Amino acid sequence: MSNKLIKKNLYKSMILSDIKLLGLHNPYTKQHSENVAHISSKIAKKLEMTDEEIDNIYWTGLVHDIGKILISDDILDKKGKLTNEEYEIVKKHPVWGYETLNTNIDLSKIAKDVLHHHERWDGNGYPHGLKEDNIPYVSRIIAVADTYDAMTSDRPYRGALSHGIAINEIKKNSGTQFDPEIVKAFVEEMGA
């Protein structure tokens, strides 16, 4: 086995271990991350990305919320609206995920994409308020998949929305929250 293949297998094992840890901390977040990885891969295929790019998007989707390990279950599972202070803590999870993943040279690209998955097309996202093409492409794909799965899943503070309502909400936010090109591919792939 070549060193490159050994290294790739090791990095995948590390990611799977991180996801297992996330699942022990918060089972919903683990399932959500798996869903986001799957949906992101489907979007990437629709966008005719290479197999290697699709593979990287899948692994990024799996760890996009890894920083939530540092957020207490009291906040993650809160049934009511978050306070401003609680929301500020939640907003730190992309930075914490980035800091965790960026310690490994082989995961530094994934780390950057994790850092920016809550940026918005209009520049009103976090943590850096990046806008349009300044947001990494993979982060823009993850953002759409992340939002769709969050809307169509039962959450402590509300029940799941229907597929149709979630699709319409994403279409409504095309050009403000989301990259219009990615929304178009998502809608074509997932059905309107």
Side-chain angles (χ1 to χ4, degrees):
M1 189 179 297
S2 73
N3 282 344
K4 187 174 182 178
L5 186 56
I6 290 169
K7 199 173 194 181
K8 186 173 183 176
N9 287 338
L10 178 61
Y11 122 79
K12 286 183 177 184
S13 294
M14 288 169 42
I15 289 174
L16 291 173
S17 294
D18 289 344
I19 294 305
K20 174 82 171 169
L21 184 61
L22 182 60
L24 292 171
H25 175 64
N26 189 272
Y28 164 78
T29 304
K30 177 184 181 286
Q31 183 61 54
H32 168 67
S33 294
E34 291 170 352
N35 293 346
V36 169
H38 178 71
I39 295 164
S40 297
S41 296
K42 289 175 78 168
I43 297 169
K45 286 178 189 165
K46 185 68 178 176
L47 291 166
E48 300 180 356
M49 297 177 80
T50 68
D51 288 344
E52 184 177 342
E53 290 169 326
I54 293 166
D55 193 44
N56 286 336
I57 286 170
Y58 177 83
W59 291 102
T60 305
L62 275 180
V63 296
H64 80 283
D65 275 346
I66 200 70
K68 286 187 176 178
I69 287 175
L70 297 175
I71 300 175
S72 76
D73 283 338
D74 292 344
I75 293 174
L76 291 177
D77 296 333
K78 186 172 180 177
K79 295 196 184 320
K81 183 176 165 75
L82 296 177
T83 65
N84 289 339
E85 294 81 18
E86 291 167 335
Y87 184 56
E88 288 304 314
I89 291 169
V90 169
K91 286 171 52 176
K92 292 178 182 177
H93 81 272
V95 174
W96 291 334
Y98 170 80
E99 290 172 351
T100 299
L101 296 166
N102 201 43
T103 59
N104 181 308
I105 191 94
D106 295 313
L107 299 178
S108 61
K109 172 65 174 109
I110 285 177
K112 182 180 173 190
D113 293 330
V114 165
L115 177 63
H116 297 298
H117 78 274
H118 279 291
E119 302 288 358
R120 290 175 46 114
W121 189 249
D122 61 10
N124 291 320
Y126 61 88
H128 297 124
L130 300 181
K131 186 175 183 176
E132 297 178 0
D133 291 336
N134 290 319
I135 305 166
Y137 197 62
V138 171
S139 301
R140 290 183 258 156
I141 292 171
I142 299 291
V144 172
D146 184 30
T147 301
Y148 173 79
D149 187 68
M151 286 192 291
T152 58
S153 301
D154 285 326
R155 304 302 294 264
Y157 52 88
R158 63 146 177 81
L161 301 177
S162 72
H163 170 75
I165 289 173
I167 293 281
N168 285 336
E169 200 59 32
I170 287 173
K171 286 176 10 183
K172 186 171 91 176
N173 286 285
S174 177
T176 54
Q177 185 173 354
F178 308 114
D179 178 336
E181 174 194 6
I182 292 169
V183 169
K184 183 176 184 287
F186 168 78
V187 170
E188 288 173 2
E189 181 61 29
M190 299 296 284

